[in-house]
Amino acid sequence: MAIVGAMALVLIVVVTVSANYWVWRKTHASITLESSQCVHEPVGLVFGTSYGLRGGGENPWYRARLDLAASLWKSGQVDHLLVSGDNHTRYYNEPIRMWRDLRRQQIPDAAMTLDYAGFSTFDTLARSRDVFGVSRVTLISQRWHLPRALFIAQYLGLEARGCATRKRSVFNDRWMWAREILARVQLLADLYLFDRHPYFLGPSIVLPTDAETPGNIIPVYRRVPMPAPVEHALEDLRALRKPDNDQDLKQSWHVF
Protein backbone atom coordinates (compact mmCIF):
# COMPACT_ATOMS: atom_id res chain seq x y z
CA MET A 1 0.00 0.00 0.00
CA ALA A 2 2.86 2.37 0.80
CA ILE A 3 4.46 1.73 -2.58
CA VAL A 4 1.16 2.24 -4.41
CA GLY A 5 0.53 5.44 -2.47
CA ALA A 6 4.02 6.74 -3.24
CA MET A 7 3.61 5.96 -6.94
CA ALA A 8 0.23 7.68 -7.00
CA LEU A 9 1.72 10.74 -5.32
CA VAL A 10 4.57 10.86 -7.80
CA LEU A 11 2.11 10.52 -10.70
CA ILE A 12 -0.01 13.40 -9.35
CA VAL A 13 3.04 15.61 -8.99
CA VAL A 14 4.28 14.76 -12.50
CA VAL A 15 0.85 15.41 -14.06
CA THR A 16 0.44 18.70 -12.17
CA VAL A 17 3.91 20.00 -13.05
CA SER A 18 3.59 18.91 -16.68
CA ALA A 19 0.16 20.52 -17.09
CA ASN A 20 1.31 23.81 -15.59
CA TYR A 21 4.47 23.87 -17.69
CA TRP A 22 2.47 23.19 -20.86
CA VAL A 23 0.02 26.01 -20.11
CA TRP A 24 2.84 28.41 -19.23
CA ARG A 25 4.89 27.46 -22.29
CA LYS A 26 1.95 28.07 -24.65
CA THR A 27 0.92 31.41 -23.18
CA HIS A 28 3.71 33.31 -21.42
CA ALA A 29 4.83 35.12 -24.59
CA SER A 30 1.33 36.55 -25.02
CA ILE A 31 1.15 38.19 -21.58
CA THR A 32 2.15 41.83 -21.07
CA LEU A 33 2.82 42.86 -17.48
CA GLU A 34 3.08 46.61 -18.12
CA SER A 35 -0.27 48.05 -19.19
CA SER A 36 1.36 50.86 -21.18
CA GLN A 37 2.91 48.23 -23.45
CA CYS A 38 -0.30 46.34 -24.20
CA VAL A 39 -0.94 46.41 -27.94
CA HIS A 40 -4.14 47.73 -29.47
CA GLU A 41 -7.01 45.31 -30.01
CA PRO A 42 -10.62 46.03 -30.98
CA VAL A 43 -12.10 44.38 -27.87
CA GLY A 44 -11.01 44.27 -24.24
CA LEU A 45 -12.55 41.34 -22.36
CA VAL A 46 -13.06 42.01 -18.64
CA PHE A 47 -13.48 38.84 -16.58
CA GLY A 48 -16.00 39.02 -13.77
CA THR A 49 -15.24 38.42 -10.13
CA SER A 50 -17.00 39.15 -6.87
CA TYR A 51 -16.99 42.73 -5.62
CA GLY A 52 -16.39 41.91 -1.97
CA LEU A 53 -14.33 39.49 0.09
CA ARG A 54 -15.84 36.92 2.42
CA GLY A 55 -14.10 38.50 5.38
CA GLY A 56 -15.36 41.95 4.39
CA GLY A 57 -13.97 44.76 2.30
CA GLU A 58 -13.57 45.25 -1.43
CA ASN A 59 -11.98 42.57 -3.56
CA PRO A 60 -8.62 44.01 -4.76
CA TRP A 61 -8.68 41.86 -7.90
CA TYR A 62 -12.07 43.29 -8.87
CA ARG A 63 -10.88 46.87 -8.54
CA ALA A 64 -7.63 46.14 -10.39
CA ARG A 65 -9.46 44.68 -13.39
CA LEU A 66 -11.80 47.64 -13.69
CA ASP A 67 -9.00 50.19 -13.29
CA LEU A 68 -7.01 48.50 -16.04
CA ALA A 69 -10.04 48.21 -18.33
CA ALA A 70 -10.81 51.92 -17.93
CA SER A 71 -7.17 52.84 -18.51
CA LEU A 72 -6.90 50.76 -21.69
CA TRP A 73 -10.07 52.27 -23.14
CA LYS A 74 -9.12 55.85 -22.30
CA SER A 75 -5.67 55.39 -23.82
CA GLY A 76 -7.14 53.90 -27.02
CA GLN A 77 -5.52 50.50 -26.52
CA VAL A 78 -8.96 48.89 -26.80
CA ASP A 79 -11.97 50.26 -28.68
CA HIS A 80 -14.72 48.42 -26.82
CA LEU A 81 -15.11 46.62 -23.48
CA LEU A 82 -16.92 43.28 -23.25
CA VAL A 83 -17.82 43.01 -19.56
CA SER A 84 -18.55 39.40 -18.64
CA GLY A 85 -19.62 37.90 -15.34
CA ASP A 86 -21.93 35.71 -13.33
CA ASN A 87 -25.63 36.55 -13.04
CA HIS A 88 -27.04 33.26 -11.76
CA THR A 89 -29.61 34.95 -9.50
CA ARG A 90 -31.31 38.32 -9.46
CA TYR A 91 -29.48 39.10 -6.22
CA TYR A 92 -26.02 38.55 -7.70
CA ASN A 93 -25.11 40.39 -10.88
CA GLU A 94 -21.42 40.89 -11.60
CA PRO A 95 -21.80 42.57 -15.04
CA ILE A 96 -24.17 45.25 -13.76
CA ARG A 97 -21.91 46.02 -10.82
CA MET A 98 -18.89 46.32 -13.12
CA TRP A 99 -20.87 48.44 -15.57
CA ARG A 100 -21.85 50.88 -12.81
CA ASP A 101 -18.30 51.18 -11.53
CA LEU A 102 -16.90 51.69 -15.04
CA ARG A 103 -19.44 54.45 -15.62
CA ARG A 104 -18.10 56.13 -12.47
CA GLN A 105 -14.74 56.12 -14.23
CA GLN A 106 -16.27 58.03 -17.15
CA ILE A 107 -16.58 55.07 -19.51
CA PRO A 108 -19.65 55.72 -21.73
CA ASP A 109 -22.38 53.13 -22.17
CA ALA A 110 -21.67 52.97 -25.90
CA ALA A 111 -18.18 51.66 -25.12
CA MET A 112 -19.45 48.65 -23.14
CA THR A 113 -21.35 45.45 -23.87
CA LEU A 114 -22.46 43.25 -20.98
CA ASP A 115 -22.35 39.45 -20.97
CA TYR A 116 -24.61 38.08 -18.25
CA ALA A 117 -23.69 34.40 -18.67
CA GLY A 118 -19.96 34.44 -18.03
CA PHE A 119 -20.24 31.74 -15.37
CA SER A 120 -16.61 30.67 -15.78
CA THR A 121 -13.47 31.58 -17.70
CA PHE A 122 -14.32 28.98 -20.32
CA ASP A 123 -17.91 30.19 -20.70
CA THR A 124 -16.79 33.80 -21.00
CA LEU A 125 -14.33 33.03 -23.78
CA ALA A 126 -16.62 30.63 -25.64
CA ARG A 127 -19.45 33.16 -25.56
CA SER A 128 -17.17 35.97 -26.71
CA ARG A 129 -16.52 33.93 -29.86
CA ASP A 130 -19.87 32.26 -30.49
CA VAL A 131 -22.31 34.88 -29.18
CA PHE A 132 -20.50 38.19 -29.66
CA GLY A 133 -18.46 37.28 -32.72
CA VAL A 134 -15.11 38.29 -31.24
CA SER A 135 -11.99 37.11 -33.05
CA ARG A 136 -9.28 39.45 -31.72
CA VAL A 137 -9.23 40.40 -28.08
CA THR A 138 -7.20 41.66 -25.14
CA LEU A 139 -7.84 39.64 -21.98
CA ILE A 140 -7.90 41.84 -18.87
CA SER A 141 -7.11 40.01 -15.65
CA GLN A 142 -4.42 39.13 -13.08
CA ARG A 143 -1.15 37.50 -14.12
CA TRP A 144 -2.02 34.31 -12.21
CA HIS A 145 -5.26 33.96 -14.19
CA LEU A 146 -4.10 34.97 -17.66
CA PRO A 147 -2.18 31.76 -18.59
CA ARG A 148 -5.29 29.62 -18.15
CA ALA A 149 -7.51 32.19 -19.91
CA LEU A 150 -5.11 32.50 -22.83
CA PHE A 151 -4.78 28.75 -23.18
CA ILE A 152 -8.56 28.46 -23.49
CA ALA A 153 -8.64 31.35 -25.97
CA GLN A 154 -6.02 29.68 -28.13
CA TYR A 155 -7.91 26.38 -27.95
CA LEU A 156 -11.04 28.19 -29.18
CA GLY A 157 -9.16 29.81 -32.04
CA LEU A 158 -9.21 33.37 -30.70
CA GLU A 159 -6.39 35.76 -31.52
CA ALA A 160 -5.83 36.85 -27.93
CA ARG A 161 -3.27 38.65 -25.84
CA GLY A 162 -3.23 39.12 -22.09
CA CYS A 163 -2.82 42.45 -20.32
CA ALA A 164 -2.08 41.99 -16.61
CA THR A 165 -3.35 44.21 -13.83
CA ARG A 166 -0.99 46.06 -11.51
CA LYS A 167 1.49 43.81 -9.80
CA ARG A 168 0.89 42.24 -6.42
CA SER A 169 3.41 40.02 -4.71
CA VAL A 170 3.15 36.26 -5.07
CA PHE A 171 2.86 36.08 -1.28
CA ASN A 172 -0.21 38.35 -1.22
CA ASP A 173 -1.87 36.29 -3.96
CA ARG A 174 -0.51 32.93 -2.80
CA TRP A 175 -3.92 31.27 -2.48
CA MET A 176 -4.88 32.31 -6.00
CA TRP A 177 -1.58 31.01 -7.41
CA ALA A 178 -2.16 27.71 -5.59
CA ARG A 179 -5.71 27.53 -6.90
CA GLU A 180 -4.53 28.15 -10.46
CA ILE A 181 -2.00 25.32 -10.25
CA LEU A 182 -4.87 22.88 -9.75
CA ALA A 183 -7.23 24.73 -12.11
CA ARG A 184 -4.80 24.28 -15.00
CA VAL A 185 -4.87 20.52 -14.53
CA GLN A 186 -8.67 20.60 -14.51
CA LEU A 187 -8.56 22.80 -17.61
CA LEU A 188 -6.70 20.21 -19.66
CA ALA A 189 -9.09 17.50 -18.53
CA ASP A 190 -12.09 19.65 -19.51
CA LEU A 191 -10.73 20.45 -22.96
CA TYR A 192 -9.14 17.17 -24.00
CA LEU A 193 -10.99 14.51 -22.02
CA PHE A 194 -14.50 15.78 -21.33
CA ASP A 195 -14.99 17.99 -24.43
CA ARG A 196 -16.43 20.81 -22.37
CA HIS A 197 -19.11 23.13 -23.75
CA PRO A 198 -20.42 26.43 -22.35
CA TYR A 199 -23.36 26.21 -19.99
CA PHE A 200 -25.45 28.63 -22.04
CA LEU A 201 -25.02 30.37 -25.40
CA GLY A 202 -28.26 31.93 -26.59
CA PRO A 203 -28.82 34.25 -29.57
CA SER A 204 -26.03 36.19 -31.24
CA ILE A 205 -25.35 39.73 -30.07
CA VAL A 206 -23.52 41.86 -32.61
CA LEU A 207 -20.88 44.23 -31.30
CA PRO A 208 -20.71 47.64 -33.02
CA THR A 209 -18.16 46.63 -35.65
CA ASP A 210 -17.23 48.53 -38.75
CA ALA A 211 -18.59 46.93 -41.93
CA GLU A 212 -15.77 48.47 -43.98
CA THR A 213 -13.10 46.86 -41.84
CA PRO A 214 -14.62 43.72 -40.29
CA GLY A 215 -13.48 43.00 -36.76
CA ASN A 216 -12.71 46.63 -35.96
CA ILE A 217 -14.92 48.38 -33.43
CA ILE A 218 -16.49 51.66 -34.45
CA PRO A 219 -15.06 54.44 -32.24
CA VAL A 220 -17.46 55.86 -29.68
CA TYR A 221 -17.52 59.31 -31.22
CA ARG A 222 -18.93 57.75 -34.42
CA ARG A 223 -21.52 55.67 -32.56
CA VAL A 224 -23.07 58.22 -30.23
CA PRO A 225 -25.99 59.83 -32.13
CA MET A 226 -26.45 63.59 -32.14
CA PRO A 227 -29.66 65.05 -30.73
CA ALA A 228 -32.40 65.06 -33.38
CA PRO A 229 -32.70 68.89 -33.64
CA VAL A 230 -28.96 69.19 -34.21
CA GLU A 231 -28.94 66.45 -36.82
CA HIS A 232 -31.90 68.01 -38.66
CA ALA A 233 -30.26 71.44 -38.61
CA LEU A 234 -27.07 69.98 -40.07
CA GLU A 235 -29.03 68.23 -42.83
CA ASP A 236 -30.79 71.50 -43.72
CA LEU A 237 -27.47 73.31 -43.80
CA ARG A 238 -25.94 70.68 -46.06
CA ALA A 239 -28.92 70.96 -48.41
CA LEU A 240 -28.55 74.74 -48.59
CA ARG A 241 -24.83 74.57 -49.23
CA LYS A 242 -24.98 71.73 -51.80
CA PRO A 243 -23.84 73.17 -55.17
CA ASP A 244 -26.04 72.55 -58.21
CA ASN A 245 -23.08 72.25 -60.59
CA ASP A 246 -19.35 72.58 -60.82
CA GLN A 247 -19.57 76.35 -61.34
CA ASP A 248 -21.48 76.74 -58.10
CA LEU A 249 -18.87 74.57 -56.42
CA LYS A 250 -16.09 76.87 -57.61
CA GLN A 251 -18.03 79.95 -56.51
CA SER A 252 -18.71 78.45 -53.10
CA TRP A 253 -14.98 78.12 -52.46
CA HIS A 254 -14.57 81.86 -53.07
CA VAL A 255 -17.13 82.61 -50.35
CA PHE A 256 -14.87 81.05 -47.72
Side-chain angles (χ1 to χ4, degrees):
M1 291 292 293
I3 294 175
V4 172
M7 292 178 63
L9 180 60
V10 170
L11 180 61
I12 292 172
V13 171
V14 169
V15 169
T16 301
V17 172
S18 300
N20 277 266
Y21 177 72
W22 186 15
V23 171
W24 175 83
R25 179 75 180 271
K26 291 272 289 182
T27 61
H28 78 281
S30 299
I31 297 175
T32 303
L33 300 180
E34 296 295 333
S35 61
S36 61
Q37 299 176 8
C38 294
V39 300
H40 172 268
E41 293 292 353
V43 177
L45 179 56
V46 190
F47 291 91
T49 186
S50 60
Y51 167 78
L53 299 172
R54 290 183 179 179
E58 185 182 63
N59 182 350
W61 306 305
Y62 170 90
R63 179 54 54 191
R65 291 180 189 182
L66 295 196
D67 289 346
L68 177 57
S71 174
L72 292 177
W73 184 85
K74 290 177 181 179
S75 65
Q77 290 165 278
V78 297
D79 299 325
H80 195 78
L81 295 174
L82 178 56
V83 182
S84 180
D86 192 346
N87 179 32
H88 62 277
T89 74
R90 62 176 179 172
Y91 303 107
Y92 186 79
N93 194 321
E94 290 176 353
I96 287 293
R97 183 62 189 249
M98 292 191 291
W99 168 72
R100 289 173 178 169
D101 286 345
L102 285 169
R103 290 186 75 190
R104 293 190 181 100
Q105 297 197 47
Q106 310 305 312
I107 306 300
D109 290 345
M112 296 182 281
T113 297
L114 305 188
D115 174 18
Y116 296 97
F119 302 123
S120 66
T121 300
F122 179 85
D123 285 43
T124 290
L125 289 162
R127 285 175 55 80
S128 72
R129 183 193 67 176
D130 297 336
V131 175
F132 297 95
V134 172
S135 59
R136 292 174 48 205
V137 62
T138 290
L139 308 184
I140 300 171
S141 192
Q142 279 72 29
R143 55 179 177 157
W144 42 260
H145 177 232
L146 284 173
R148 179 163 58 96
L150 280 166
F151 193 93
I152 297 172
Q154 293 174 7
Y155 175 86
L156 295 173
L158 294 173
E159 190 176 335
R161 298 191 63 85
C163 193
T165 61
R166 63 178 181 267
K167 294 180 180 179
R168 281 167 53 95
S169 69
V170 175
F171 178 79
N172 287 336
D173 287 351
R174 58 191 180 278
W175 298 117
M176 302 309 299
W177 284 100
R179 175 181 177 274
E180 282 299 310
I181 289 173
L182 300 177
R184 291 167 193 167
V185 178
Q186 179 65 45
L187 161 67
L188 298 182
D190 284 342
L191 297 183
Y192 296 105
L193 293 179
F194 305 126
D195 190 25
R196 181 172 178 176
H197 296 279
Y199 180 77
F200 177 76
L201 285 177
S204 297
I205 301 173
V206 180
L207 295 180
T209 54
D210 192 338
E212 297 178 359
T213 53
N216 291 340
I217 299 297
I218 301 175
V220 170
Y221 70 87
R222 287 175 50 195
R223 282 187 268 127
V224 178
M226 292 185 180
V230 175
E231 186 62 37
H232 293 159
L234 288 174
E235 290 178 358
D236 293 341
L237 182 60
R238 293 188 196 105
L240 290 173
R241 294 301 309 154
K242 183 177 180 181
D244 294 331
N245 51 51
D246 292 341
Q247 185 63 30
D248 290 339
L249 179 60
K250 293 177 182 178
Q251 293 175 357
S252 67
W253 280 104
H254 291 297
V255 175
F256 298 98

